[in-house]
Amino acid sequence: MSDTSRNELGRIIKQQRMAVPLTLQELAAMSEVSASHLGRIERGERFPSASILRKVAQPLGFEEDELFTLAGYLSPQSPRVAEAHHPYSGGRLDPYVARVLAEESLDVQRAVIGILSILKSIAKSITKEKR
Amino acid sequence: MSDTSRNELGRIIKQQRMAVPLTLQELAAMSEVSASHLGRIERGERFPSASILRKVAQPLGFEEDELFTLAGYLSPQSPRVAEAHHPYSGGRLDPYVARVLAEESLDVQRAVIGILSILKSIAKSITKEKR
DNA sequence: CTTGACTTTTGCCATTTGGCGAATTATACT
DNA sequence: AGTATAATTCGCCAAATGGCAAAAGTCAAG
Protein backbone atom coordinates (compact mmCIF):
# COMPACT_ATOMS: atom_id res chain seq x y z
CA MET A 1 0.00 0.00 0.00
CA SER A 2 1.47 3.26 -1.04
CA ASP A 3 1.75 5.98 1.56
CA THR A 4 -0.24 8.30 -0.62
CA SER A 5 -3.21 5.96 -0.95
CA ARG A 6 -3.28 5.41 2.80
CA ASN A 7 -3.31 9.11 3.44
CA GLU A 8 -5.82 9.69 0.70
CA LEU A 9 -8.27 7.17 2.05
CA GLY A 10 -7.76 8.44 5.57
CA ARG A 11 -8.39 11.98 4.44
CA ILE A 12 -11.63 10.99 2.80
CA ILE A 13 -12.85 9.09 5.81
CA LYS A 14 -11.97 11.88 8.17
CA GLN A 15 -13.58 14.47 5.98
CA GLN A 16 -16.74 12.42 5.82
CA ARG A 17 -16.77 11.85 9.58
CA MET A 18 -16.41 15.58 10.18
CA ALA A 19 -19.15 16.32 7.71
CA VAL A 20 -21.69 14.04 9.36
CA PRO A 21 -20.54 15.12 12.06
CA LEU A 22 -19.15 12.53 14.44
CA THR A 23 -16.32 12.22 16.91
CA LEU A 24 -13.97 9.28 16.70
CA GLN A 25 -15.56 7.79 19.76
CA GLU A 26 -19.06 8.11 18.39
CA LEU A 27 -18.06 6.52 15.14
CA ALA A 28 -16.28 3.86 17.14
CA ALA A 29 -19.44 3.09 19.05
CA MET A 30 -21.56 2.94 15.91
CA SER A 31 -19.18 0.85 13.88
CA GLU A 32 -17.75 -1.36 16.62
CA VAL A 33 -14.24 -0.36 15.66
CA SER A 34 -11.94 1.08 18.30
CA ALA A 35 -11.44 4.83 18.23
CA SER A 36 -7.69 4.51 18.35
CA HIS A 37 -7.70 2.33 15.29
CA LEU A 38 -10.00 4.69 13.46
CA GLY A 39 -7.72 7.57 14.37
CA ARG A 40 -4.69 5.77 13.01
CA ILE A 41 -6.54 4.98 9.82
CA GLU A 42 -7.54 8.61 9.36
CA ARG A 43 -4.00 9.83 9.66
CA GLY A 44 -2.64 7.10 7.45
CA GLU A 45 -0.82 5.05 10.03
CA ARG A 46 -2.89 1.97 9.38
CA PHE A 47 -4.61 0.61 6.33
CA PRO A 48 -8.19 -0.52 6.97
CA SER A 49 -9.06 -4.11 6.19
CA ALA A 50 -12.17 -4.96 4.22
CA SER A 51 -14.14 -5.84 7.33
CA ILE A 52 -13.30 -2.51 8.93
CA LEU A 53 -14.37 -0.66 5.81
CA ARG A 54 -17.60 -2.57 5.84
CA LYS A 55 -18.36 -1.65 9.43
CA VAL A 56 -17.55 1.98 8.88
CA ALA A 57 -19.34 2.53 5.59
CA GLN A 58 -22.90 2.67 6.85
CA PRO A 59 -22.40 5.11 9.75
CA LEU A 60 -20.54 7.40 7.41
CA GLY A 61 -23.18 7.16 4.71
CA PHE A 62 -21.02 5.54 2.09
CA GLU A 63 -22.32 2.99 -0.39
CA GLU A 64 -21.00 -0.33 0.67
CA ASP A 65 -18.65 -0.78 -2.27
CA GLU A 66 -17.63 2.84 -2.49
CA LEU A 67 -14.98 2.60 0.17
CA PHE A 68 -13.77 -0.68 -1.30
CA THR A 69 -13.08 1.07 -4.54
CA LEU A 70 -11.36 3.96 -2.84
CA ALA A 71 -9.22 1.51 -0.93
CA GLY A 72 -8.29 -0.27 -4.14
CA TYR A 73 -9.96 -3.50 -3.14
CA LEU A 74 -12.38 -3.19 -6.03
CA SER A 75 -11.56 -1.85 -9.46
CA PRO A 76 -12.72 1.69 -10.26
CA GLN A 77 -15.82 1.16 -12.34
CA SER A 78 -17.87 -1.14 -10.23
CA PRO A 79 -21.26 -1.60 -11.82
CA ARG A 80 -22.41 -3.31 -8.68
CA VAL A 81 -25.12 -0.95 -7.60
CA ALA A 82 -28.49 -1.97 -8.93
CA GLU A 83 -29.02 -2.77 -12.55
CA ALA A 84 -25.81 -2.08 -14.33
CA HIS A 85 -24.88 -4.05 -17.39
CA HIS A 86 -22.42 -6.82 -17.74
CA PRO A 87 -18.89 -5.92 -18.70
CA TYR A 88 -18.76 -8.81 -21.11
CA SER A 89 -20.96 -9.16 -24.14
CA GLY A 90 -23.82 -7.18 -22.68
CA GLY A 91 -26.23 -10.05 -22.05
CA ARG A 92 -27.85 -10.72 -18.73
CA LEU A 93 -28.48 -14.13 -17.35
CA ASP A 94 -32.11 -14.68 -16.59
CA PRO A 95 -32.55 -15.23 -12.84
CA TYR A 96 -34.90 -18.15 -13.31
CA VAL A 97 -32.50 -19.89 -15.62
CA ALA A 98 -29.70 -19.24 -13.18
CA ARG A 99 -31.65 -20.71 -10.32
CA VAL A 100 -32.57 -23.88 -12.14
CA LEU A 101 -29.04 -24.44 -13.35
CA ALA A 102 -27.49 -23.71 -10.00
CA GLU A 103 -29.22 -26.75 -8.60
CA GLU A 104 -27.39 -29.02 -11.00
CA SER A 105 -23.92 -30.39 -10.38
CA LEU A 106 -20.96 -28.68 -11.95
CA ASP A 107 -20.61 -31.50 -14.44
CA VAL A 108 -24.17 -31.09 -15.60
CA GLN A 109 -23.77 -27.34 -15.84
CA ARG A 110 -20.79 -27.72 -18.09
CA ALA A 111 -22.45 -30.44 -20.11
CA VAL A 112 -25.31 -28.06 -20.71
CA ILE A 113 -23.21 -25.41 -22.32
CA GLY A 114 -21.32 -28.12 -24.18
CA ILE A 115 -24.58 -29.26 -25.71
CA LEU A 116 -25.50 -25.67 -26.43
CA SER A 117 -22.35 -25.06 -28.40
CA ILE A 118 -22.86 -28.25 -30.38
CA LEU A 119 -26.39 -27.26 -31.28
CA LYS A 120 -25.21 -23.84 -32.31
CA SER A 121 -22.57 -25.19 -34.64
CA ILE A 122 -25.10 -27.59 -36.17
CA ALA A 123 -27.53 -24.78 -36.71
CA LYS A 124 -24.83 -22.72 -38.31
CA SER A 125 -23.81 -25.42 -40.76
CA ILE A 126 -27.43 -26.01 -41.69
CA THR A 127 -28.09 -22.42 -42.60
CA LYS A 128 -24.90 -22.28 -44.58
CA GLU A 129 -25.84 -25.39 -46.52
CA LYS A 130 -29.24 -24.08 -47.27
CA ARG A 131 -28.27 -21.05 -49.21
CA MET B 1 -14.63 -15.63 10.92
CA SER B 2 -16.53 -18.76 11.54
CA ASP B 3 -14.86 -22.05 10.79
CA THR B 4 -17.67 -23.01 8.50
CA SER B 5 -17.45 -19.93 6.35
CA ARG B 6 -13.72 -20.41 6.00
CA ASN B 7 -14.17 -23.97 4.86
CA GLU B 8 -17.05 -23.04 2.64
CA LEU B 9 -15.12 -20.36 0.81
CA GLY B 10 -12.11 -22.60 0.52
CA ARG B 11 -14.22 -25.37 -0.91
CA ILE B 12 -15.63 -23.07 -3.57
CA ILE B 13 -12.24 -21.75 -4.56
CA LYS B 14 -10.75 -25.20 -4.76
CA GLN B 15 -13.65 -26.52 -6.77
CA GLN B 16 -13.30 -23.67 -9.22
CA ARG B 17 -9.55 -24.09 -9.49
CA MET B 18 -10.00 -27.77 -10.26
CA ALA B 19 -12.68 -27.01 -12.82
CA VAL B 20 -10.56 -24.56 -14.78
CA PRO B 21 -8.24 -26.58 -14.30
CA LEU B 22 -5.15 -25.25 -12.55
CA THR B 23 -2.58 -26.47 -10.06
CA LEU B 24 -1.88 -24.44 -6.96
CA GLN B 25 1.43 -23.41 -8.45
CA GLU B 26 -0.11 -22.27 -11.68
CA LEU B 27 -2.74 -20.26 -9.89
CA ALA B 28 -0.01 -18.88 -7.68
CA ALA B 29 1.93 -17.72 -10.73
CA MET B 30 -1.11 -16.12 -12.33
CA SER B 31 -2.36 -14.42 -9.21
CA GLU B 32 0.95 -13.52 -7.57
CA VAL B 33 -0.10 -15.24 -4.37
CA SER B 34 2.09 -17.95 -2.91
CA ALA B 35 0.95 -21.52 -3.50
CA SER B 36 1.28 -22.40 0.16
CA HIS B 37 -1.02 -19.60 1.13
CA LEU B 38 -3.54 -20.59 -1.51
CA GLY B 39 -3.43 -24.15 -0.26
CA ARG B 40 -4.10 -23.07 3.30
CA ILE B 41 -7.00 -20.95 2.13
CA GLU B 42 -8.51 -23.83 0.21
CA ARG B 43 -8.45 -26.10 3.21
CA GLY B 44 -9.75 -23.44 5.52
CA GLU B 45 -6.61 -22.80 7.55
CA ARG B 46 -6.43 -19.17 6.52
CA PHE B 47 -9.00 -16.61 5.61
CA PRO B 48 -8.17 -14.66 2.45
CA SER B 49 -7.89 -10.90 2.73
CA ALA B 50 -9.61 -8.66 0.23
CA SER B 51 -6.46 -8.11 -1.79
CA ILE B 52 -5.88 -11.84 -2.08
CA LEU B 53 -9.44 -12.38 -3.26
CA ARG B 54 -8.98 -9.66 -5.81
CA LYS B 55 -5.84 -11.22 -7.22
CA VAL B 56 -7.38 -14.64 -7.40
CA ALA B 57 -10.76 -13.74 -8.87
CA GLN B 58 -9.74 -13.13 -12.45
CA PRO B 59 -7.65 -16.28 -13.01
CA LEU B 60 -10.50 -18.34 -11.61
CA GLY B 61 -13.10 -16.63 -13.76
CA PHE B 62 -15.03 -15.06 -10.93
CA GLU B 63 -16.65 -11.69 -11.20
CA GLU B 64 -14.65 -9.31 -9.12
CA ASP B 65 -17.21 -8.79 -6.39
CA GLU B 66 -18.49 -12.32 -6.37
CA LEU B 67 -15.80 -13.64 -4.09
CA PHE B 68 -16.19 -10.61 -1.85
CA THR B 69 -19.77 -11.54 -1.30
CA LEU B 70 -18.96 -15.16 -0.70
CA ALA B 71 -16.35 -14.09 1.81
CA GLY B 72 -18.85 -11.89 3.59
CA TYR B 73 -16.97 -8.71 2.82
CA LEU B 74 -19.89 -7.44 0.77
CA SER B 75 -23.52 -8.00 1.57
CA PRO B 76 -25.35 -10.35 -0.75
CA GLN B 77 -27.73 -7.90 -2.33
CA SER B 78 -26.79 -7.66 -5.94
CA PRO B 79 -27.87 -10.43 -8.28
CA ARG B 80 -25.75 -9.23 -11.17
CA VAL B 81 -25.17 -12.65 -12.59
CA ALA B 82 -28.09 -13.95 -10.64
CA GLU B 83 -27.60 -15.67 -7.36
CA ALA B 84 -24.09 -16.99 -7.44
CA HIS B 85 -24.28 -17.65 -3.75
CA HIS B 86 -26.95 -19.91 -2.41
CA PRO B 87 -29.34 -18.79 0.28
CA TYR B 88 -31.64 -21.44 -1.15
CA SER B 89 -30.55 -24.96 -0.56
CA GLY B 90 -29.03 -25.79 -3.92
CA GLY B 91 -25.56 -25.52 -5.37
CA ARG B 92 -23.98 -22.52 -6.89
CA LEU B 93 -23.85 -21.60 -10.53
CA ASP B 94 -20.43 -21.92 -12.07
CA PRO B 95 -19.17 -18.48 -13.12
CA TYR B 96 -17.93 -19.68 -16.47
CA VAL B 97 -21.24 -21.30 -17.26
CA ALA B 98 -23.03 -18.15 -16.21
CA ARG B 99 -20.90 -16.01 -18.43
CA VAL B 100 -21.37 -18.16 -21.50
CA LEU B 101 -25.10 -18.38 -21.04
CA ALA B 102 -25.46 -14.69 -20.38
CA GLU B 103 -24.34 -14.08 -23.93
CA GLU B 104 -27.33 -15.89 -25.32
CA SER B 105 -30.73 -14.40 -25.85
CA LEU B 106 -33.42 -15.02 -23.28
CA ASP B 107 -35.13 -17.45 -25.63
CA VAL B 108 -32.03 -19.52 -25.98
CA GLN B 109 -31.41 -19.47 -22.24
CA ARG B 110 -34.87 -20.85 -21.58
CA ALA B 111 -34.55 -23.37 -24.37
CA VAL B 112 -31.40 -24.63 -22.74
CA ILE B 113 -33.07 -25.47 -19.47
CA GLY B 114 -36.00 -26.86 -21.38
CA ILE B 115 -33.69 -29.29 -23.12
CA LEU B 116 -32.03 -30.06 -19.82
CA SER B 117 -35.30 -31.03 -18.19
CA ILE B 118 -36.22 -33.23 -21.15
CA LEU B 119 -32.89 -35.02 -20.97
CA LYS B 120 -33.32 -35.51 -17.27
CA SER B 121 -36.73 -37.05 -17.61
CA ILE B 122 -35.47 -39.33 -20.35
CA ALA B 123 -32.57 -40.41 -18.20
CA LYS B 124 -34.90 -41.06 -15.35
CA SER B 125 -37.27 -43.21 -17.35
CA ILE B 126 -34.37 -45.19 -18.73
CA THR B 127 -32.99 -46.09 -15.34
CA LYS B 128 -36.44 -46.98 -14.11
CA GLU B 129 -37.07 -49.20 -17.12
CA LYS B 130 -33.78 -50.95 -16.76
CA ARG B 131 -34.32 -52.55 -13.40
C1' DC C 1 10.67 -51.34 -6.84
C1' DT C 2 12.98 -46.98 -7.84
C1' DT C 3 13.93 -42.75 -9.93
C1' DG C 4 12.47 -38.30 -11.29
C1' DA C 5 9.28 -34.55 -11.93
C1' DC C 6 5.30 -32.34 -10.07
C1' DT C 7 1.94 -30.95 -6.61
C1' DT C 8 0.58 -30.12 -2.09
C1' DT C 9 1.52 -29.49 2.82
C1' DT C 10 4.26 -27.95 6.85
C1' DG C 11 7.49 -25.16 9.75
C1' DC C 12 8.94 -20.98 10.69
C1' DC C 13 9.16 -16.07 10.48
C1' DA C 14 8.33 -11.02 9.31
C1' DT C 15 4.72 -7.82 8.89
C1' DT C 16 0.06 -5.93 9.79
C1' DT C 17 -3.96 -5.41 11.93
C1' DG C 18 -6.74 -3.94 15.55
C1' DG C 19 -7.91 -3.57 20.62
C1' DC C 20 -7.16 -1.81 25.40
C1' DG C 21 -5.65 1.39 28.58
C1' DA C 22 -2.81 5.24 29.65
C1' DA C 23 -1.05 9.69 28.23
C1' DT C 24 -1.77 13.87 25.84
C1' DT C 25 -4.22 17.56 23.83
C1' DA C 26 -8.20 20.38 22.85
C1' DT C 27 -12.64 22.58 24.69
C1' DA C 28 -15.55 24.51 28.22
C1' DC C 29 -16.99 26.40 32.43
C1' DT C 30 -16.03 28.94 36.71
C1' DA D 1 -5.64 31.94 35.66
C1' DG D 2 -7.43 26.50 36.96
C1' DT D 3 -9.94 22.43 36.42
C1' DA D 4 -13.34 19.24 34.75
C1' DT D 5 -14.57 16.88 30.55
C1' DA D 6 -14.40 15.20 26.22
C1' DA D 7 -11.44 13.96 22.06
C1' DT D 8 -7.43 12.31 20.11
C1' DT D 9 -3.01 10.00 20.12
C1' DC D 10 0.53 6.73 21.94
C1' DG D 11 2.56 2.38 23.81
C1' DC D 12 2.18 -2.09 23.99
C1' DC D 13 0.24 -6.54 22.95
C1' DA D 14 -2.30 -10.71 20.84
C1' DA D 15 -3.86 -12.59 16.75
C1' DA D 16 -3.87 -13.11 11.89
C1' DT D 17 -1.91 -12.76 7.30
C1' DG D 18 1.19 -14.22 3.82
C1' DG D 19 5.87 -15.63 1.98
C1' DC D 20 9.89 -18.82 1.59
C1' DA D 21 12.11 -23.02 1.82
C1' DA D 22 12.09 -27.62 3.10
C1' DA D 23 9.33 -31.86 3.79
C1' DA D 24 5.82 -34.98 2.34
C1' DG D 25 2.76 -36.95 -1.07
C1' DT D 26 1.58 -38.49 -6.12
C1' DC D 27 2.20 -40.61 -10.17
C1' DA D 28 4.16 -42.10 -14.56
C1' DA D 29 8.22 -44.13 -16.92
C1' DG D 30 12.22 -46.98 -16.57
Side-chain angles (χ1 to χ4, degrees):
Chain A
M1 269 71 225
S2 71
D3 279 4
T4 53
S5 79
R6 260 217 294 266
N7 282 322
E8 183 67 1
L9 182 58
R11 237 202 56 246
I12 293 173
I13 289 177
K14 176 165 192 175
Q15 182 185 330
Q16 186 65 18
R17 177 176 64 82
M18 303 300 241
V20 171
L22 292 172
T23 71
L24 282 175
Q25 306 196 42
E26 288 167 333
L27 179 57
M30 298 173 70
S31 60
E32 320 243 62
V33 176
S34 75
S36 63
H37 192 50
L38 290 174
R40 284 192 250 247
I41 289 172
E42 285 190 352
R43 75 192 97 101
E45 294 173 26
R46 289 281 196 285
F47 195 80
S49 73
S51 50
I52 296 289
L53 287 184
R54 186 170 201 265
K55 290 181 186 168
V56 159
Q58 150 114 348
L60 289 182
F62 280 107
E63 274 313 313
E64 213 179 51
D65 56 345
E66 210 162 345
L67 286 179
F68 279 67
T69 308
L70 288 170
Y73 287 144
L74 229 43
S75 43
Q77 31 68 311
S78 123
R80 182 185 152 68
V81 217
E83 64 294 275
H85 276 295
H86 278 281
Y88 40 90
S89 64
R92 265 189 75 81
L93 182 58
D94 179 73
Y96 170 68
V97 172
R99 186 154 23 86
V100 171
L101 263 189
E103 277 164 16
E104 300 298 329
S105 74
L106 182 61
D107 284 349
V108 171
Q109 291 180 24
R110 299 236 142 139
V112 160
I113 61 165
I115 291 172
L116 173 62
S117 81
I118 290 172
L119 290 180
K120 284 179 70 176
S121 74
I122 289 175
K124 197 163 142 194
S125 72
I126 286 177
T127 44
K128 222 187 331 196
E129 218 171 84
K130 220 174 177 179
R131 110 169 65 101
Chain B
M1 264 71 231
S2 72
D3 279 2
T4 53
S5 79
R6 259 217 295 266
N7 282 320
E8 183 64 3
L9 182 59
R11 239 201 56 245
I12 291 173
I13 289 177
K14 177 165 191 174
Q15 178 188 323
Q16 186 63 19
R17 177 176 63 80
M18 304 297 241
V20 169
L22 292 172
T23 69
L24 281 173
Q25 305 196 44
E26 288 167 333
L27 179 56
M30 296 171 73
S31 60
E32 319 244 60
V33 177
S34 76
S36 63
H37 193 49
L38 291 174
R40 284 192 249 246
I41 290 172
E42 285 190 352
R43 76 191 94 102
E45 295 174 25
R46 288 283 196 285
F47 194 81
S49 72
S51 50
I52 295 288
L53 286 185
R54 184 171 202 267
K55 290 181 186 167
V56 158
Q58 149 110 349
L60 288 182
F62 281 105
E63 276 311 314
E64 213 178 53
D65 57 345
E66 209 165 346
L67 286 178
F68 279 66
T69 309
L70 288 170
Y73 285 145
L74 232 44
S75 46
Q77 65 184 340
S78 131
R80 286 179 54 196
V81 189
E83 30 282 279
H85 52 85
H86 40 120
Y88 54 91
S89 60
R92 43 183 301 286
L93 181 59
D94 179 77
Y96 171 68
V97 171
R99 203 163 344 106
V100 170
L101 264 188
E103 283 169 13
E104 301 299 328
S105 73
L106 183 59
D107 284 349
V108 171
Q109 291 180 24
R110 300 233 136 134
V112 160
I113 62 165
I115 291 172
L116 173 62
S117 80
I118 292 173
L119 289 180
K120 282 178 73 176
S121 73
I122 290 176
K124 197 161 140 193
S125 72
I126 287 177
T127 43
K128 222 184 335 195
E129 217 172 87
K130 221 177 182 176
R131 103 175 43 138

